[in-house]
Amino acid sequence: MSSDMRSGVLVITHGATLDGVVEQVRAAAQAGVGTAWLPQVLGSDALTTLAVTGREVPGIQLGTAVVPTYPRHPLALAGQALTVQSATGGRLTLGIGPSHRATIEGAYGHSYDRPLRHVREYLLALAPLLRGESVEYRGETLTAVGALDVPGATPPSLVLAALGPAMLRLAGEQTDGTVTQFTGPRTIADHVVPTVTRAASRSGRPGPRVVVGLAVCVTNDRSARRESLGNVYAAVGTGAEPSYRAMLDREGVATAVDVAIIGDETTVERELRRFADAGATEFVATLFGTDQENARSLELIASFG
């Protein structure tokens, strides 16, 4: 099937060795999936892993979804990202985001005061560095002065995790687009795409990337998969993550399971088509079924290009 929406998978890194990650990316590449994305959580470093994995698995595009900004200075993150670009022949999309108050304040001890201001200043330092330019930026929340020397590196694509209107406008103004999570097709069509597209147009930037991430399972036992996913997503949309709750409310659903795509091939294909019609440029599937179900899901996801 042909589609203007590219396909991707979110690699499961929890409990996976580096060799295990490489095998997941290799399976995605062999299936014809366009991009393998890695999350950045408390554990293996996503960018380091991508540098190694990209050398092992040629061809497939690579991305982070997403690296939290607060714990990494723009000079440090830009150096990491450009190193991955050099190592992988320019296949990286650098996805970044401010994460959530509970993580940034609870785990890292940083203040989460005014995250929009923080991200705006962060991008003003990061984006020029990724383009190979020197920076001398002194803002309210950070200072970045210097230039990077990473031979062989081209500027990676940069996308921002954004859900609310102000952050989406910032994504359109200063980056190549946005990456979402727990966001359904109506919200993509009515909120995300128009907001980020208008901002990009006003800033003279090309049409933005809209990368949609959701759980997908091609299965003959929908109720069992909904139950298992419900256990995993029990805390999503609660008080610790108000931005996700806002997206679920916009979509008119109760839980994160309600925006997951679960069913047989016909059902899953129909739901994926809704996102393509909504204006998503890329779809990133988190696979969560049995090995057989994941193989079916991977085949269907890959058919979107």
Side-chain angles (χ1 to χ4, degrees):
M1 131 198 8
S2 62
S3 172
D4 292 333
M5 185 173 72
R6 288 176 55 83
S7 63
V9 292
L10 186 72
V11 175
I12 305 301
T13 57
H14 179 70
T17 64
L18 178 58
D19 286 343
V21 170
V22 170
E23 287 310 307
Q24 289 184 66
V25 175
R26 182 173 285 120
Q30 290 173 345
V33 171
T35 308
W37 299 79
L38 263 64
Q40 179 60 63
V41 291
L42 294 175
S44 299
D45 181 72
L47 285 164
T48 305
T49 302
L50 285 177
V52 174
T53 303
R55 303 285 284 191
E56 294 284 330
V57 186
I60 190 170
Q61 296 293 305
L62 309 164
T64 58
V66 294
V67 177
T69 52
Y70 283 92
R72 305 194 194 202
H73 190 276
L75 278 163
L77 181 57
Q80 285 183 295
L82 290 171
T83 301
V84 176
Q85 276 291 79
S86 179
T88 62
R91 287 184 277 149
L92 177 68
T93 291
L94 179 62
I96 66 168
S99 188
H100 304 277
R101 182 180 299 275
T103 299
I104 298 306
E105 294 188 346
Y108 291 107
H110 291 287
S111 169
Y112 199 74
D113 180 50
R114 296 175 64 186
L116 181 68
R117 176 187 62 176
H118 158 77
V119 174
R120 180 179 290 111
E121 294 198 349
Y122 197 97
L123 288 170
L124 288 172
L126 178 67
L129 289 166
L130 293 176
R131 295 192 298 265
E133 302 169 9
S134 63
V135 297
E136 186 170 342
Y137 182 80
R138 294 177 175 85
E140 295 180 61
T141 64
L142 64 86
T143 293
V145 180
L148 300 173
D149 179 22
V150 185
T154 56
S157 181
L158 177 65
V159 295
L160 174 65
L163 297 174
M167 200 69 80
L168 282 167
R169 287 193 293 269
L170 186 60
E173 291 164 359
Q174 294 196 32
T175 79
D176 298 317
T178 188
V179 55
T180 70
Q181 183 66 287
F182 305 118
T183 305
R186 285 187 295 176
T187 304
I188 294 295
D190 299 340
H191 168 59
V192 173
V193 169
T195 304
V196 71
T197 301
R198 281 195 300 267
S201 178
R202 286 196 302 266
S203 300
R205 301 182 67 94
R209 297 172 65 179
V210 177
V211 185
V212 174
L214 285 176
V216 175
C217 185
V218 176
T219 180
N220 297 327
D221 194 348
R222 186 171 184 271
S223 60
R225 288 296 159 261
R226 280 184 58 89
E227 182 179 354
S228 64
L229 191 62
N231 295 329
V232 175
Y233 283 172
V236 174
T238 61
E241 299 170 339
S243 58
Y244 291 154
R245 181 70 260 163
M247 292 303 97
L248 297 175
D249 289 343
R250 277 184 179 271
E251 193 69 15
V253 299
T255 72
V257 178
D258 296 322
V259 292
I261 301 178
I262 308 170
D264 61 16
E265 277 84 355
T266 300
T267 299
V268 171
E269 181 183 335
R270 181 181 66 243
E271 291 303 305
L272 290 173
R273 182 65 59 191
R274 292 182 65 193
F275 284 96
D277 294 342
T281 63
E282 296 156 73
F283 189 95
V284 182
T286 300
L287 308 182
F288 66 96
T290 65
D291 288 346
Q292 183 180 28
E293 288 169 338
N294 287 346
R296 291 168 64 187
S297 301
L298 199 58
E299 182 180 0
L300 183 56
I301 289 293
S303 70
F304 272 77

